[in-house]
Amino acid sequence: DWDAAFRVCKTMDIVFTVIFTLDVGARIIFLGRDFWRHCLNWIDFVAVVFAIIGLALSGDELLINAVFFRLLRLVKVARTFRIIALSSNLEALSLLLKCCLSSGTTLLWASLLLIFCQFVGGLIMSTFVEDFLNDPTLDEKARLEVFLYWGTFTRTFLTMFEVMFANWSPSCRVLVDNVSEWFSLAFLLYRCVFGFALINVVNSVFISQTLKLADTD
C-alpha cells in the first residue's frame, strides 16, 4: 500500500527534522558564538532551516515545490568529510577528497577554456551551414537533419560538446552527407587538436597537481 508507505516516510521525515532541530538548537545554546565559527555548523543550520521550510511547504496548494527543499538537506552529507578527515583507516579516501577540493581552481579555468573553444568552434560551424539552412531550393528533409544538430546556438553548443566528449560521428555525417565532404577534414582536425591534444593537456595538469598534493600530504 503506497499510501501507508507515504505516511511512514512522512512521519520519519518529521521525526528526523525534529531531532536535527533539537541537535542544532542545543549546540547553539551551549556553544554560543563558537557555533557560528565553524563552516560545518553552518551546513547543519542551513540543512535544518531547509527541512523546516520543506515541511511547511508540503501542501499541494503551495506554488513552491517542497521536494526542492528536501533535496537541499543533502548538504548534511558534507558532515561526513569530518569523519573521513579524522579517520586513520580512510587515508586514501581523505587524500582523494583533498585532491578534488584543491583542483577547484584548475577545474574552473579548464572548464572556461573548453567552453571558449566550443563556443568559437560552434560559431564557425554555424556560419558555414547558415546558407544551407536558409536556402529554400534545397531538400527540406536534409535541411531539417542539419537543423537538428546545427540550427540554433543551443543545438550547436550541445553538438560541439558531443563532438568533443561523446559520439561525434552522427553530427559529422549529417554535414558530410548533406552539405559538403570538406566538413570531414574540419572534424578530423578539430578532434586531433582539441579532442586529443587539449584534453590530454588538461588531464596532465590535473595529474600533476594531484601528485604534488600527494607528496606534500
Side-chain angles (χ1 to χ4, degrees):
D1 189 359
W2 288 107
D3 292 334
F6 177 79
R7 288 193 295 268
V8 172
C9 293
K10 182 67 176 178
T11 302
M12 294 177 60
D13 191 14
I14 296 174
V15 171
F16 281 109
T17 300
V18 172
I19 294 175
F20 290 150
T21 304
L22 293 176
D23 172 55
V24 172
R27 280 187 286 154
I28 292 176
I29 294 174
F30 289 105
L31 296 178
R33 295 181 179 179
D34 293 337
F35 176 86
W36 309 104
R37 296 176 182 175
H38 301 279
C39 61
L40 291 178
N41 291 335
W42 277 97
I43 293 176
D44 291 342
F45 178 78
V46 172
V48 168
V49 170
F50 283 135
I52 296 174
I53 295 176
L55 291 178
L57 301 179
S58 59
D60 296 335
E61 71 280 359
L62 296 174
L63 298 178
I64 303 177
N65 191 353
V67 177
F68 171 74
F69 292 97
R70 295 193 184 100
L71 291 177
L72 287 177
R73 282 181 289 172
L74 291 176
V75 296
K76 192 81 173 178
V77 178
R79 287 193 58 83
T80 57
F81 293 159
R82 175 182 295 178
I83 301 175
I84 294 174
L86 296 177
S87 177
S88 59
N89 297 324
L90 299 175
E91 292 181 358
L93 181 57
S94 177
L95 177 61
L96 180 61
L97 292 176
K98 290 179 181 179
C99 292
C100 292
L101 293 176
S102 64
S103 302
T105 304
T106 305
L107 176 62
L108 174 63
W109 287 110
S111 300
L112 292 177
L113 176 62
L114 292 176
I115 290 174
F116 176 77
C117 294
Q118 306 290 56
F119 177 81
V120 174
L123 184 63
I124 295 174
M125 297 298 293
S126 297
T127 303
F128 283 145
V129 302
E130 181 180 4
D131 293 336
F132 178 84
L133 293 175
N134 295 330
D135 192 347
T137 61
L138 299 176
D139 182 55
E140 183 177 357
K141 183 179 179 180
R143 288 193 295 147
L144 178 60
E145 291 180 355
V146 175
F147 177 83
L148 293 177
Y149 286 97
W150 309 96
T152 62
F153 171 78
T154 52
R155 292 175 185 271
T156 301
F157 199 60
L158 178 60
T159 301
M160 295 304 297
F161 271 91
E162 290 178 346
V163 172
M164 175 76 77
F165 298 105
N167 186 10
W168 59 277
S169 178
S171 55
C172 175
R173 281 293 181 181
V174 73
L175 294 180
V176 173
D177 295 339
N178 297 309
V179 184
S180 173
E181 294 185 0
W182 285 103
F183 279 104
S184 59
L185 180 61
F187 272 87
L188 293 176
L189 182 63
Y190 182 83
R191 286 288 301 175
C192 291
V193 175
F194 295 99
F196 178 74
L198 181 61
I199 295 299
N200 284 333
V201 169
V202 172
N203 290 336
S204 64
V205 171
F206 277 100
I207 294 174
S208 176
Q209 185 170 356
T210 301
L211 293 177
K212 184 185 300 184
L213 181 62
D215 291 337
T216 57
D217 188 63

